[in-house]
Amino acid sequence: MESGDLRIFQAVAREGSITKAAQVLNYVQSNVTNRIQHLETELRVPLFTRSNRGMTLTPAGENLLTYADKVLALMDDAVKSTQFSEHPAGPLRLGSIETAAAVHLTPILTWYHSRYPDVDLSLVTGETHGLLQKVLKHELDGAFVYGPIDDPDLASVTAFEEELVLISASGKSDMHDLLAKPVLLFDVGCSHRAKVEQFLNENGSASSQMMKYGTLEVIINGVAAGLGISLLPKSSVAKAEEAESIASHRLPEGYRELKVCFVYKRVLVRSSALSEFIRAMESSEECSKP
């Protein structure tokens, strides 16, 4: 069994499709098919169940994926150990919740790039749960997410402290009337949701409709148009509030605090690029001790 076969198997398992895995790996589709068939022949057991909807893991495939993730993670760590030097270089794959990316990250990434120009920075946005999974699976080196984070496999430091506010269309409105409107939130994994639901419950508005949206801009535009209300970090709505397209309303003290943490995997070896980035973030108070 070769590491290349395991990487192909891992990609097919994650994508659920030979075609998608080939695109991700930049391989010819027939090559991916042949390598999966070779692996199944070598192990003498089917690893996938094929259907018109795609490919799903068999119990044997699920067992192999657990080991493949561990083996490939160790191999990646071995590569990172060779990248450690006094002059950071190579890839640094970062993720971020959209609100932090829109407001806070440009100055940080600009400073980091000016200091370490040989590091190949990349940034993707998503919701907290999805980003944490990508860090755990070594798909990202680190991510900015809402904290605090309680996971034994992850370490984190506080990056920013925000104030959560309720926003509505501009104009005077009674809080009771506002809480009867639909609530516009990010998609399913939005970490605000539990806090929002608790706030609505305590204010007698538990029946408010939750509407899912994918981007910060769409949520703010929807609120400005009177479609509903939302709860967002104050810094992320400051420009819209200055333009008087929305109004913000302060929440009770127990709901205002919002922490954004930089999280990364607890490993014995980290690349110089990630180590220097963590060192830059550690000037803030830690969310959880590494």
Side-chain angles (χ1 to χ4, degrees), residues 254-268:
Y255 296 96
R256 295 176 198 165
E257 183 181 279
L258 191 63
K259 287 187 177 182
V260 177
C261 295
F262 181 71
V263 300
Y264 52 96
K265 189 81 181 285
R266 296 180 190 270
V267 292
L268 295 177

Side-chain angles (χ1 to χ4, degrees), residues 128 132 145-151 156 257 259-261 263 287-288:
T128 291
L132 291 177
V145 298
Y146 291 119
I149 302 302
D150 183 18
D151 188 307
S156 61
E257 183 181 279
K259 287 187 177 182
V260 177
C261 295
V263 300
C287 282
S288 63

Side-chain angles (χ1 to χ4, degrees), residues 179-214:
L179 293 177
K181 293 179 176 292
V183 182
L184 282 59
L185 293 171
F186 288 106
D187 209 347
V188 179
C190 177
S191 58
H192 291 163
R193 191 172 187 119
K195 186 176 289 190
V196 170
E197 289 177 346
Q198 183 181 355
F199 175 71
L200 294 175
N201 281 329
E202 292 188 359
N203 286 273
S205 303
S207 60
S208 294
Q209 181 183 2
M210 301 284 186
M211 303 177 72
K212 302 170 194 172
Y213 286 86

